[in-house]
Amino acid sequence: MLFRSKDAMDLGRFLESQAFIVTQVYNKDATMTGIKTAIQNVARLLERNDRVLVFFSGHGVSEKLGDERFGYIVPYEGTENTATLLSMGDLRELSSKLGNAKHQLFILDCCFAGLIATKDSTAWDKGYPGYIERLVEQDAREFIVAGGKDQRVRAEGPKGYSFFTGYLLEALVEGKADLYPD
């Protein structure tokens, strides 16, 4: 599932070339309802050992209420009123609806995306014997984000993509992401 037009379309093309089934929601269809509907429709189709990737590239905002900071992604019809935005808590709830999938990967290319994380990673050291084999056997929900919980991210990057997505595509398409050729 992909949500920003150029970034989403080209990442979608790459994923399709890798035999992924891709559902894209972008531009005027990437409303709060459109995003939730797409994720719930995919959830209904998932079988136990499926893997799902949710990619969002667009705007993100944060708001401090009391002593806590909250993060949001901005859907197509979103306004300055955070009630019109999709909160990181909403994304975690949608992730639980994808619970039939063995592996979930959320890639969030927006400001303040680090607010999605609720705790530190529990992944093993990559030097651990059998690391890859053990990792793929376990159920997992992972988040890769363009910036931390208090960071704005650069929108204009290489080849007309956002900075993060431009380098993500370069790493995937050109094989630069595989530091351990395994």
Side-chain angles (χ1 to χ4, degrees):
M1 285 165 282
L2 310 161
F3 300 111
R4 182 179 179 215
S5 58
K6 179 174 173 49
D7 293 12
M9 285 189 282
D10 288 353
L11 183 59
R13 279 190 209 103
F14 170 76
L15 292 171
E16 287 173 337
S17 77
Q18 302 298 307
F20 280 76
I21 298 169
V22 176
T23 299
Q24 292 194 12
V25 179
Y26 49 83
N27 294 339
K28 66 179 171 45
D29 294 328
T31 62
M32 187 175 318
T33 300
I35 292 168
K36 287 181 176 183
T37 299
I39 291 173
Q40 289 176 354
N41 286 344
V42 168
R44 289 180 185 98
L45 301 173
L46 290 174
E47 295 182 12
R48 177 64 195 123
N49 286 318
D50 286 343
R51 296 183 170 113
V52 69
L53 183 153
V54 176
F55 173 80
F56 176 83
S57 182
H59 295 290
V61 298
S62 73
E63 174 181 47
K64 187 170 183 180
L65 298 170
D67 291 335
E68 194 170 348
R69 183 157 296 283
F70 296 88
Y72 306 87
I73 64 172
V74 180
Y76 182 80
E77 83 285 18
T79 69
E80 290 184 17
N81 178 351
T82 56
T84 67
L85 309 180
L86 196 62
S87 75
M88 296 302 172
D90 293 334
L91 286 177
R92 286 190 295 272
E93 180 182 326
L94 288 166
S95 172
S96 68
K97 292 180 179 182
L98 297 168
N100 205 29
K102 183 172 185 80
H103 298 138
Q104 297 177 35
L105 175 61
F106 283 74
I107 302 175
L108 303 177
D109 183 3
C110 61
C111 297
F112 311 110
L115 288 165
I116 189 74
T118 57
K119 58 184 174 182
D120 293 333
S121 171
T122 57
W124 299 287
D125 178 357
K126 290 175 180 55
Y128 185 85
Y131 167 76
I132 297 293
E133 292 80 11
R134 291 196 59 193
L135 198 59
V136 298
E137 289 173 5
Q138 306 238 339
D139 287 3
R141 180 186 306 167
E142 298 287 331
F143 302 94
I144 299 174
V145 298
K149 63 183 181 180
D150 56 357
Q151 288 182 309
R152 295 187 181 278
V153 299
R154 293 174 58 187
E156 300 303 320
K159 301 177 185 170
Y161 300 107
S162 72
F163 192 79
F164 176 85
T165 300
Y167 286 109
L168 174 64
L169 283 168
E170 181 180 288
L172 293 172
V173 172
E174 297 176 23
K176 294 181 179 181
D178 193 1
L179 299 177
Y180 305 95
D182 52 8

